[in-house]
């Protein structure tokens, strides 16, 4: 497969080459009055307005006037909408009010009657540049968790998110969740023909509910591949947005959703007992799962609760005995690095991905539920071809589908959205405390964690974990023991099995095909 072109991989890299040039270069400039013009440059809209020079500006101290500029460059990525009504042209865009916050702004000009036809064509060109492959005027079902962000989710939505969606002419339908599991109910009953996107104003809990709600529909495969699930970060854990939007800022994420590109996402079926659920982020067992789930009573400490919980378990050298059976697809780190490079450099173009998804969606009937399990459930015999590892002194088991589990926690640098594989990290609990601490600290760097000798990193397509009793940490087995964390949700310490479904889900991402993370070079 040929490499994707820069335009197909990122329509905002040089959008002027992706648009049909029906006019010569000079036609990229629209004259608006005597003293102003609007020009479509390579990656920005250039606003030239001599009246800007009449506005006195000051430096950061507010004391010394600075030289006013007559031009303003607005990146195409920041342009939300443009329209021509009669002879008035209005352009809505976002501009930074701080490093992590953008707000809606606009410019308005009048065009001459004789220029109206060209102005309409110019506006069309501008929108082509601004949106590229991204869908315009998305129909979005917004679910707000009123308890998210310590009760601030509604305020953040009204202040930071809604103005951006409205300025982009998105069709918005807002509903507030009332109880745990409500988002899953809403998603299960959702009319998938009425919406393009379902957005969670929350932490990572609501996306988990939404995906599993869609997975309970009679036409689950079609629903999961048609409705793009996104996160507008309003919680304590915002890994979904960090990986796909490249930010946990409310307003920047809203802009990323407006400009988001439909991207297939691998989902993982988890069977435990007689239950089957879907996972989009990670599954963990051992010190990380216990640190996460058993420090809920310390939420008042903020993120420090994770550090406290980890250090307590590190000092007592907790181990979590288990057996791990897995379908190993890529075993060595050099092979994993090569696989990642190929996935980034030779991923399908956006048009190919969209065509494949449309074919998949149209072929899925109303009776198609979740895909059948190739390897059965946790209650079936193990496939004979799987590799079985006995881990009497397991320290940590972490299997993931996205690179970042939290800000500056880059556990899976080889993760790809749609390669049909999950990334598995295991660490022996018998290593020294210093080595263990160094490995956790290394996760905040680019790739040091991946390179560490005691970090076992493999690519797998399925696995089964069977907890054993007799650990020196929390006792495993039965209804007690170390809890299992699936996408941050608590599950009992019982055997479970996982199987990856390639491209079963649909999300929006900034570039399509890769995460917003500097992966393995």
């Amino acid at each position: 497969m040929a490499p994707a072109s820069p335009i197909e991989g990122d329509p905002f890299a040089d959008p002027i080459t992706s648009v049909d040039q029906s006019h010569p270069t000079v036609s990229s400039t629209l004259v608006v009055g005597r003293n102003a013009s609007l020009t479509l440059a390579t990656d920005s809209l250039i606003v030239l307005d001599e009246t800007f020079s009449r506005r006195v500006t000051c430096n950061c101290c507010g004391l010394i006037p600075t030289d006013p500029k007559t031009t303003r460059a607005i990146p195409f990525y920041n342009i939300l909408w443009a329209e021509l009504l009669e002879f008035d042209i209005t352009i809505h865009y976002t501009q930074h009010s701080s490093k992590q916050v953008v707000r809606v702004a606009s410019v308005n000009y009048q065009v001459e009657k004789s220029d109206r036809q060209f102005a309409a064509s110019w506006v069309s060109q501008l929108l082509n540049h601004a949106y590229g492959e991204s869908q315009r005027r998305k129909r979005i079902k917004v679910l707000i968790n009123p308890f998210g962000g310590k009760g601030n989710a509604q305020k953040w939505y009204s202040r930071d998110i809604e103005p951006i969606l409205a300025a982009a002419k998105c069709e918005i339908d807002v509903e507030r969740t009332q109880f745990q599991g409500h988002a899953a109910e809403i998603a299960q009953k959702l009319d998938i023909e009425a919406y393009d996107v379902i957005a969670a104003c929350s932490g990572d809990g609501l996306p988990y509910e939404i995906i599993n709600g869609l997975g309970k529909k009679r036409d689950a495969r079609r629903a999961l591949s048609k409705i793009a699930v996104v996160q507008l970060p309003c919680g304590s854990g915002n890994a979904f947005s960090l990986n796909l939007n490249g930010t946990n800022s409310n307003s920047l994420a809203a802009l990323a959703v407006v400009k988001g590109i439909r991207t297939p996402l691998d989902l993982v079926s988890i069977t435990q007992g007689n239950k089957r659920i879907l996972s989009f982020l990670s599954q963990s067992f051992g010190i990380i799962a216990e640190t996460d789930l058993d420090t809920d009573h310390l939420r008042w400490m903020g993120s420090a609760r994770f550090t406290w919980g980890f250090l307590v378990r590190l000092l007592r050298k907790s181990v979590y005995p288990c057996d791990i059976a897995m379908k190993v697809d890529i075993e060595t780190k050099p092979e994993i690095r090569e696989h990642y490079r190929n996935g980034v450099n030779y991923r399908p173009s956006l048009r190919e991905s969209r065509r494949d998804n449309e074919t998949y969606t149209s072929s899925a009937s109303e009776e198609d539920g979740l895909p059948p399990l190739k390897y059965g459930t946790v209650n079936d015999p193990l496939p004979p071809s799987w590799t079985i590892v006995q881990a009497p002194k397991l320290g940590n088991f972490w299997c993931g589908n996205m690179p970042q589990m939290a800000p500056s926690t880059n556990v899976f640098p080889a993760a790809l959205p749609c390669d049909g594989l999950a990334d598995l990290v295991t660490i022996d609990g018998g290593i020294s405390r210093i080595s263990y601490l160094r490995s956790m600290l290394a996760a905040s760097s680019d790739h040091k964690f991946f390179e560490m000798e005691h970090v076992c990193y493999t690519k797998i397509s399925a696995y089964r974990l069977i907890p054993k009793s007799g650990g020196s940490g929390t006792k495993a087995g039965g209804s007690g023991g170390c809890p299992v964390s699936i996408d941050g949700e608590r599950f009992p310490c019982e055997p479970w099995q996982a199987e990856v479904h390639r491209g079963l889900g649909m999300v929006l991402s900034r570039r399509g095909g890769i995460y917003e993370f500097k992966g393995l070079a």
Side-chain angles (χ1 to χ4, degrees), residues 285 320-325 378 382 464-468 494-496:
F285 175 76
Y320 308 85
C322 64
D323 290 342
I324 306 169
V378 69
L382 280 170
R464 181 183 298 179
L465 189 144
I466 305 170
K468 301 291 185 180
E494 299 172 0
W496 82 91

Side-chain angles (χ1 to χ4, degrees), residues 157-361:
Y157 172 75
S158 300
R159 184 190 66 191
D160 303 328
I161 298 169
E162 185 178 29
I164 293 174
L165 301 183
K169 304 298 182 182
C170 293
E171 297 180 26
I172 310 169
D173 177 14
V174 180
E175 188 167 351
R176 289 152 191 82
T177 58
Q178 304 299 319
F179 49 86
Q180 187 173 8
H182 191 196
E185 290 185 9
I186 295 171
Q188 186 176 358
K189 298 174 183 177
L190 191 74
D191 178 3
I192 63 173
E193 302 300 333
Y195 302 97
D196 307 303
V197 176
I198 182 165
C201 287
S202 67
D204 292 317
L206 245 58
Y208 167 83
E209 287 191 25
I210 291 168
I211 288 170
N212 278 279
L214 294 173
K216 291 178 181 178
K217 295 178 76 69
R218 286 179 58 194
D219 56 345
R221 286 172 58 191
R222 185 165 181 270
L224 286 163
S225 61
K226 183 180 186 301
I227 300 290
V229 180
V230 303
Q231 182 188 49
L232 298 166
C234 293
S236 55
N238 301 309
F240 197 105
S241 180
L242 283 168
N243 287 288
L244 292 164
N245 300 329
T247 182
N248 58 3
S249 157
N250 309 320
S251 57
L252 289 175
L255 176 59
V257 167
V258 165
K259 296 303 181 73
I261 299 165
R262 289 175 64 84
T263 304
L265 179 73
D266 293 341
L267 296 178
V268 181
S269 274
I270 307 291
T271 59
Q272 188 181 59
N274 296 316
K275 179 185 292 187
R276 179 182 180 182
I277 62 163
L278 295 173
S279 169
F280 72 89
L281 181 61
S282 68
Q283 311 92 49
S284 63
F285 175 76
I287 191 170
I288 295 299
E290 199 173 48
T291 297
D292 180 16
L293 299 174
D294 283 354
T295 58
D296 267 355
H297 63 292
L298 299 175
R299 283 188 176 273
W300 56 271
M301 296 177 65
S303 60
R305 73 183 176 99
F306 298 105
T307 304
W308 169 258
F310 175 77
L311 291 175
V312 167
R313 286 153 183 81
L314 179 65
L315 289 173
R316 73 186 187 202
K317 296 200 73 171
S318 300
V319 295
Y320 308 85
C322 64
D323 290 342
I324 306 169
M326 50 191 161
K327 171 69 170 64
V328 179
D329 294 82
I330 307 176
E331 189 170 7
T332 69
K333 290 181 180 179
E335 290 175 317
I336 290 171
R337 189 184 291 275
E338 183 66 21
H339 172 81
Y340 180 82
R341 287 172 177 166
N342 290 337
V344 170
N345 295 328
Y346 300 98
R347 64 187 188 274
S349 70
L350 296 178
R351 293 182 181 88
E352 290 172 326
S353 296
R354 184 168 58 186
R355 183 183 64 244
D356 292 344
N357 181 252
E358 287 173 351
T359 301
Y360 180 83
T361 301

